[in-house]
Amino acid sequence: MGTDMSDAYKHDHVLKGILCLPLSAIVKVTFNRMVEYFKNTSAAANKAINNPAIKFPQRVQDDMDLKMQKARMHQVICMNPKNKNVILGDDVAKYVVQSGHKRVAVRLYSKSTGAMKKSRGCTVKKRAACSCNKLRLLHRPCSHVMAVCCQIGVSNSTYMSRYYSLSYLGNT
């Protein structure tokens, strides 16, 4: 990356081609392009909401597919031999994910809220933590958590933030 500030705008679809304009024109063009971008994104999200096969926007789904390909190369080692693939009630499952020479610790948490009575029902809240910290920073599963989810048969979307959902994108 160069020190020239114009390098930052070469690949930006909103600011592309407006560097030679005066500041007031840059603000106006940027605003109009952002409005168009949000209208297009919201329209695409609202169209996709009616399709039950699509859970996340296309860009997010593409990123998750790339992470899934990377996750297939990882080796998962369970650190809880007694309950290898089951996370029930208030429980913590510990795993070590190894890819090449790198080892990462993954923890899957399960916490039940509410009473276990038939009349009231019970909600199980699932969380995950990874020592690479990508999950905590991006609020979506990293390839290590995805590798563990594939091994134990849990959907990756379980650990995805609700802010990546189509309904939230459509309301933007």
Side-chain angles (χ1 to χ4, degrees), residues 9-162:
Y9 303 121
K10 285 183 181 175
H11 303 292
D12 190 345
H13 71 278
V14 174
L15 300 174
K16 192 173 189 176
I18 62 172
L19 292 176
C20 59
L21 297 175
L23 183 60
S24 62
I26 290 174
V27 170
K28 186 175 182 178
V29 169
T30 302
F31 177 77
N32 290 335
R33 287 182 181 177
M34 290 300 293
V35 166
E36 181 181 342
Y37 170 77
F38 279 109
K39 272 202 278 189
N40 293 340
T41 305
S42 180
N46 288 330
K47 184 193 275 185
I49 285 174
N50 298 329
N51 187 351
I54 301 173
K55 293 182 180 179
F56 302 105
Q58 188 63 41
R59 190 173 10 172
V60 174
Q61 192 61 48
D62 291 344
D63 183 50
M64 298 304 284
D65 291 341
L66 287 173
K67 286 182 183 178
M68 184 57 80
Q69 289 177 354
K70 187 177 177 183
R72 290 187 183 116
M73 302 297 182
H74 297 329
Q75 179 186 4
V76 178
I77 303 163
C78 181
M79 303 307 284
N80 300 22
K82 62 180 180 175
N83 56 348
K84 206 168 194 173
N85 293 339
V86 180
I87 306 172
L88 298 172
D90 295 339
D91 199 7
V92 178
K94 299 175 186 175
Y95 299 89
V96 172
V97 179
Q98 187 167 351
S99 61
H101 63 281
K102 186 177 179 182
R103 292 174 63 102
V104 177
V106 175
R107 288 190 164 100
L108 301 180
Y109 301 95
S110 176
K111 180 157 181 83
S112 55
T113 58
M116 294 291 269
K117 296 178 182 176
K118 289 183 182 179
S119 61
R120 292 187 181 172
C122 177
T123 305
V124 177
K125 192 172 188 176
K126 295 185 177 184
R127 293 184 306 122
C130 184
S131 62
C132 75
N133 286 327
K134 288 180 186 176
L135 176 68
R136 192 172 75 184
L137 295 172
L138 300 175
H139 301 282
R140 57 184 180 199
C142 59
S143 62
H144 312 113
V145 173
M146 288 184 153
V148 171
C149 287
C150 285
Q151 179 161 337
I152 65 173
V154 175
S155 173
N156 297 323
S157 61
T158 305
Y159 301 105
M160 192 78 145
S161 173
R162 66 180 182 266

